[in-house]
């Protein structure tokens, strides 16, 4: 773990401790290795006096956190997100588009035939998509290929900014490298909404700092971007388009203080999660049948980290075929397709999946109608 020596948003060295979550798995995916090889670390959360930004005070090694692609972004919510964001991108992007990240190609596939596109270049260190037609792939970190940024007519990224350890530096680098007037189109998670839905996918070893719309807009202005358009997507994401070359209007002003509200909210979330894990454990202790968790991801890992007994987990359900039959990292639990428990007598499923709950509950009612859902 490496100490974070400055605020992710404001760049100031004024970080104070908030709380610690001990012994969390460093990787939020699945593994074929023995459980003894898994790595854990404490999450030490701190807050900046200047920005009020809640953030991890110690940053994990990137090669452990991102040791493989693990987020297939499957399901109805993600499908609607990709469709909606593709339409948003098409309103302002054209010519030579560079997508930062985008390993699986969900957005590239949807935008490959949009009017006015000359080339869609995915720049990704671990690409999993195959080039075709106007879709090209460069295996690299975007910071290492500034010439591709300077040559682009549009920069696009979806659910990338929240993963960066230095988002302020990234936005400033993009603004300095892009030609004036070049558009940047981005989608980020609606972290305040995720937090209000008790989503453990809001803050973790991948999402290491908290921000809402005011902070995001401040960071863009601080870097030298002028806002063009902003659109909310459900309670899931926020879409923004902005042009490079604007005055750095925010640089002389402190970030908006609204991020400070995340500290009491996060404290309440962690305390409630621990109580919830204890309540679910009590239900499991009284239950005669097998108990499953949903989500081979941080949802299940965090429930166990908060105290749900791993030895009571019969398996972890997940819709991603690439995860099924493997082991959820940080546990000994195997991953199953939800339909596999359709005929299991006395099955119960612990469902703690934030804004995905409605669609997953409907799925379970169809494929495992006899299962109890807690």
């Amino acid at each position: 773990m490496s100490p974070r020596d400055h605020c992710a948003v404001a760049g100031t060295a004024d970080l104070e401790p908030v709380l610690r979550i001990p012994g969390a798995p460093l990787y939020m995916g699945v593994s074929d290795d023995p459980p003894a090889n898994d790595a854990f670390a404490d999450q030490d959360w701190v807050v900046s006096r200047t920005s009020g930004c809640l953030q991890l005070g110690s940053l994990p090694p990137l090669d452990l956190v991102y040791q493989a692609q693990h987020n297939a972004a499957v399901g109805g919510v993600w499908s609607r997100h990709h469709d909606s964001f593709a339409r948003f991108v098409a309103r302002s992007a054209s010519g030579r588009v560079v997508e930062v990240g985008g390993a699986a190609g969900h957005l590239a596939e949807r935008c490959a035939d949009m009017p006015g596109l000359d080339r869609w270049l995915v720049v990704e260190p671990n690409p999993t998509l195959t080039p075709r037609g106007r879709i090209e792939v460069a295996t690299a970190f975007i910071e290492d290929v500034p010439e591709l940024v300077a040559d682009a007519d549009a920069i696009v990224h979806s659910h990338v900014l929240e993963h960066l350890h230095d988002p302020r530096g990234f936005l400033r680098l993009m603004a300095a490298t892009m030609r004036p007037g070049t558009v940047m189109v981005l989608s980020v998670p609606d972290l305040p909404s995720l937090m209000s839905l008790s989503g453990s996918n809001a803050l973790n070893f991948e999402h290491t700092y908290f921000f809402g719309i005011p902070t995001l807009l401040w960071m863009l202005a601080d870097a030298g971007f002028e806002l063009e358009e902003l659109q909310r997507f459900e309670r899931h994401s926020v879409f923004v388009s902005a042009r490079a070359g604007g005055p750095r209007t925010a640089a002389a002003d402190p970030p908006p203080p609204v991020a400070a509200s995340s500290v009491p909210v996060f404290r309440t979330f962690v305390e409630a999660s621990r109580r919830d894990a204890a309540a679910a454990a009590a239900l499991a202790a009284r239950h005669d049948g097998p108990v499953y968790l949903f989500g081979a991801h941080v949802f299940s890992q965090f429930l166990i980290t908060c105290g749900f007994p791993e030895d009571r987990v019969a398996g972890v359900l997940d819709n991603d075929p690439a995860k099924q039959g493997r082991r959820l990292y940080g546990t000994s639990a195997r991953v199953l397709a939800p339909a596999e428990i359709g005929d299991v007598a006395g099955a119960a499923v612990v469902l703690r999946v934030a804004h995905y709950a409605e669609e997953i509950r409907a799925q379970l009612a169809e494929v495992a109608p006899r299962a109890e859902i807690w």
Side-chain angles (χ1 to χ4, degrees), residues 16 34 48 53 57 64 119 125 130 144 174 178 217 229 232 264-266 284 335 349 354 359 364 372-373:
E16 299 177 343
S48 163
C53 177
L64 290 179
R119 180 188 69 182
T130 302
D144 296 333
M174 290 296 102
M178 294 163 64
L217 297 184
E229 186 178 1
R232 290 179 179 269
V265 170
F266 188 63
V335 182
V349 181
E359 69 176 78
L364 291 173
E372 293 184 27
I373 300 178

Side-chain angles (χ1 to χ4, degrees), residues 167-187:
R168 188 172 190 246
F170 169 80
L171 290 174
R172 287 186 165 195
L173 176 64
M174 290 296 102
T177 309
M178 294 163 64
R179 287 180 284 108
T182 303
V183 68
M184 182 169 70
V185 191
L186 60 120
S187 172

Side-chain angles (χ1 to χ4, degrees), residues 19-215:
L19 62 81
R20 169 175 289 181
I21 300 174
L26 279 171
Y27 175 54
M28 296 183 347
V30 296
S31 177
D32 298 317
D33 294 335
N37 291 356
D38 296 351
F40 299 79
D42 297 342
Q43 292 182 357
D44 290 307
W45 294 95
V46 300
V47 66
S48 163
R49 292 192 303 272
T50 298
S51 69
C53 177
L54 179 71
Q55 53 206 289
L56 267 182
S58 296
L59 298 170
L62 293 177
D63 60 336
L64 290 179
V65 176
Y66 298 105
Q67 56 190 267
Q69 293 291 344
H70 64 83
N71 188 0
V74 297
V77 172
W78 274 114
S79 181
R80 294 195 302 275
H81 168 274
H82 300 326
D83 290 342
S84 183
F85 187 50
R87 291 191 294 270
F88 186 84
V89 168
R91 289 207 288 269
S92 55
S94 61
R96 295 162 297 183
V97 176
V98 169
E99 182 183 4
V100 182
H106 294 299
L107 184 62
E109 293 288 345
R110 285 168 168 82
C111 294
D113 299 321
M114 71 181 193
L117 178 68
D118 295 330
R119 180 188 69 182
W120 187 282
L121 175 62
V122 174
V123 180
E124 159 67 50
N126 297 299
T128 59
L129 75 160
T130 302
R132 70 158 183 87
R134 288 183 283 184
I135 300 176
E136 301 177 13
V137 179
T139 303
F141 289 98
I142 193 67
E143 295 86 350
D144 296 333
V145 284
E147 67 278 6
L148 298 181
V149 177
D151 186 54
D153 298 308
I155 302 293
V156 175
H157 47 96
S158 176
H159 286 245
V160 168
L161 192 67
E162 69 275 13
H163 291 266
L164 302 178
H165 287 179
D166 184 14
R168 188 172 190 246
F170 169 80
L171 290 174
R172 287 186 165 195
L173 176 64
M174 290 296 102
T177 309
M178 294 163 64
R179 287 180 284 108
T182 303
V183 68
M184 182 169 70
V185 191
L186 60 120
S187 172
V188 294
D190 187 345
L191 295 180
S193 288
L194 296 188
M195 193 83 77
S196 71
L197 293 168
S198 298
S200 53
N201 55 339
L203 293 173
N204 44 63
F205 279 132
E206 292 194 6
H207 299 176
T208 68
Y209 69 105
F210 179 88
F211 63 96
I213 290 176
T215 303

Side-chain angles (χ1 to χ4, degrees), residues 275-293:
R275 291 194 301 270
D276 177 60
L283 283 175
R286 297 191 299 267
H287 186 69
D288 289 335
V291 177
Y292 302 87
L293 309 184

